[in-house]
Amino acid sequence: MRARSQHGDGARPINIFEIVGSAKVGGMERSVLNLVHQLPTEQFRITCLCPFESQFTAALRQRGCQVFIAPVHDEPPWRSIQLAVEIIRLRQIDLLHAHMPKAHVLAGLAGCIAQTPVVATVHGMNITSHELGICRTTGSRLLTVCQEAYTQALAMGVPADRVTLVPNGVDTELFTPDRDGKRFRAALGAPLDAPLVGFVGRLAPEKGPDLFVRAAEKVALRRPDVHFAIVGDGDMADQVARQIEQAGLSDRIHMAGLWADTAEVYPALDIVAQTSRSEGMPLALLEAMACGRPVVAIGVGGVPEIVEVGTTGFLAGPQDCDGVATSVIELLEHPERLPELGRAARARAATLFDIHTSARLTGELFRQVARSRERHSAEWAVWPALQASS
């Protein structure tokens, strides 16, 4: 059944304009792809604006999206604002959906000019003052992916009816424990019978790949049979490679780079370790759990909402490499526990973090906002100084 148009004709889908602040291969981009893939095509038509061409934009087009390219900066140039406004008019856009603060700026300005509502997804664990300022000035709504960001938004004064919590989801039909992971292990060069601990994520400071290497050093001292895999790429790749070489572990810590099909990576790993300094609702952990992998993670942002301690894995404190290493060693010393934790992890991912549920809830929010045809009013955010002078 098609969604009813806010224009009253009941015939066409709701037109969504996704404005994305980056086009690299990362968790945010994968979240956008997941949403685009899951939203029913008979109910939603998706148009996208990205800052540059990449594998991400190619994947969007493969999913039937029309993609436009324009600069997306913290202070967007007029040509980007003008293009966004013309797209809203020509494509009869009903709702703008922004990802990253710089995309939120562009969406907010274009939405104000075209009098079209905006929803901005906060993929991280914090609502910055910059993001709050955009929200106040343009009257946009916030969509958060973890409780920490949601409650912070409320504490910073965002009205409850203008912020929504929808946790990220994972495709439990794609990410399953059924694969054996042998192809990944063979490509890695790791022994097929060696315990393998893996990190999957962008090689950037917030993801903490350097902390993973430090934890691996401590595990390696106790367990000379264990190998490690780092799957991903990013600005820290050279730094991490040097760190591994300086630790004398180049033969045991394998840098796999980007891997197109991560669904066959996780089944090759005995334990997935996540060492982020900052997180929202990390897809890597959800994917690992859906593949039946026990996880050891640093408990920041939405991570404690994902991991059930002692049942699906273990948590350590912020930047606590020793804590991560201790939990990994404990699990490796009791390998009989790994299948038990893996089954529990799979069940938890399927029950609480299924992609169909998150896409349905997001679609419901889009319908609600698009039908209301909200104007970009910032009445809730009147500053005291302005209020006093009125």
Side-chain angles (χ1 to χ4, degrees):
M1 179 178 179
R2 291 188 176 186
R4 182 176 179 81
S5 166
Q6 79 284 352
H7 295 293
D9 56 15
R12 69 168 177 84
I14 294 174
N15 292 323
I16 306 295
F17 188 11
E18 298 282 342
I19 300 184
V20 188
S22 179
K24 299 178 181 179
V25 179
M28 180 273 288
E29 291 84 355
R30 297 210 316 277
S31 294
V32 174
L33 288 173
N34 287 342
L35 179 63
V36 168
H37 182 69
Q38 292 295 329
L39 288 177
T41 55
E42 70 275 10
Q43 298 179 26
F44 298 94
R45 185 175 67 177
I46 310 296
T47 302
C48 300
L49 187 149
C50 300
F52 50 83
E53 294 284 359
S54 65
Q55 294 178 0
F56 172 65
T57 56
L60 286 171
R61 291 189 179 98
Q62 288 174 357
R63 285 163 169 78
C65 300
Q66 185 168 2
V67 180
F68 295 87
I69 304 298
V72 181
H73 303 313
D74 288 331
E75 298 181 1
W78 170 247
R79 62 190 174 106
S80 296
I81 299 171
Q82 189 174 42
L83 174 62
V85 170
E86 289 307 313
I87 292 170
I88 292 169
R89 291 171 175 164
L90 294 173
R91 302 283 291 176
Q92 295 184 289
I93 297 299
D94 302 307
L95 175 93
L96 290 84
H97 184 205
H99 307 267
M100 297 180 64
K102 55 188 175 181
H104 190 179
V105 173
L106 177 56
L109 291 173
C112 283
I113 294 170
Q115 295 190 324
T116 304
V118 175
V119 173
T121 291
V122 179
H123 291 274
M125 65 189 234
N126 292 315
I127 307 293
T128 65
S129 58
H130 180 51
E131 194 109 45
L132 180 65
I134 302 166
C135 184
R136 282 178 176 272
T137 302
T138 67
S140 57
R141 284 174 173 259
L142 295 180
L143 177 59
T144 61
V145 299
C146 66
Q147 292 179 15
E148 185 165 337
Y150 176 74
T151 55
Q152 186 185 31
L154 294 176
M156 295 175 78
V158 181
D161 63 351
R162 303 196 70 83
V163 58
T164 304
L165 170 62
V166 178
N168 282 338
V170 59
D171 187 343
T172 56
E173 297 172 6
L174 174 62
F175 290 91
T176 75
D178 297 339
R179 302 190 189 187
D180 58 23
K182 289 182 179 178
R183 191 171 84 86
F184 175 74
R185 283 203 176 221
L188 203 65
L192 294 179
D193 59 346
L196 185 61
V197 179
F199 167 99
V200 181
R202 190 171 70 257
L203 304 189
E206 64 270 19
K207 297 296 181 180
D210 55 317
L211 301 181
F212 175 81
V213 175
R214 285 165 55 186
E217 289 183 64
K218 298 177 186 299
V219 175
L221 289 174
R222 289 277 301 273
R223 291 292 300 263
D225 58 325
V226 176
H227 283 245
F228 307 87
I230 297 178
V231 183
D233 199 2
D235 295 339
M236 289 184 68
D238 290 342
Q239 175 185 331
V240 171
R242 288 193 299 271
Q243 185 182 359
I244 293 170
E245 184 177 1
Q246 291 167 1
L249 292 171
S250 299
D251 59 336
R252 293 174 60 190
I253 303 180
H254 310 272
M255 295 188 69
L258 291 175
W259 196 264
D261 185 7
T262 53
E264 69 175 346
V265 169
Y266 298 106
L269 307 174
D270 294 290
I271 300 169
V272 173
Q274 192 225 35
T275 51
S276 295
R277 294 178 169 89
S278 175
E279 275 294 355
M281 182 67 62
L283 288 180
L285 282 189
L286 296 178
E287 292 166 355
M289 290 171 60
C291 289
R293 301 298 95 183
V295 297
V296 175
I298 287 178
V300 295
V303 173
E305 300 170 46
I306 299 176
V307 180
E308 186 175 350
V309 176
T311 302
T312 68
F314 294 92
L315 295 177
Q319 302 195 53
D320 184 4
C321 301
D322 288 342
V324 171
T326 298
S327 293
V328 168
I329 292 169
E330 175 69 17
L331 286 175
L332 292 173
E333 294 294 327
H334 297 89
E336 71 281 356
R337 294 198 62 192
L338 297 180
E340 174 190 345
L341 269 66
R343 286 190 294 270
R346 167 71 185 181
R348 183 170 175 82
T351 302
L352 299 179
F353 302 104
D354 184 77
I355 185 64
H356 298 96
T357 300
S358 62
R360 175 179 58 79
L361 293 173
T362 303
E364 289 175 1
L365 174 65
F366 287 173
R367 291 188 195 94
Q368 173 193 343
V369 176
R371 286 173 179 170
S372 70
R373 199 58 180 172
E374 296 176 340
R375 295 298 185 263
H376 271 65
S377 170
E379 292 177 359
W380 65 272
V382 174
W383 298 338
L386 296 178
Q387 200 170 37
S389 64
S390 60

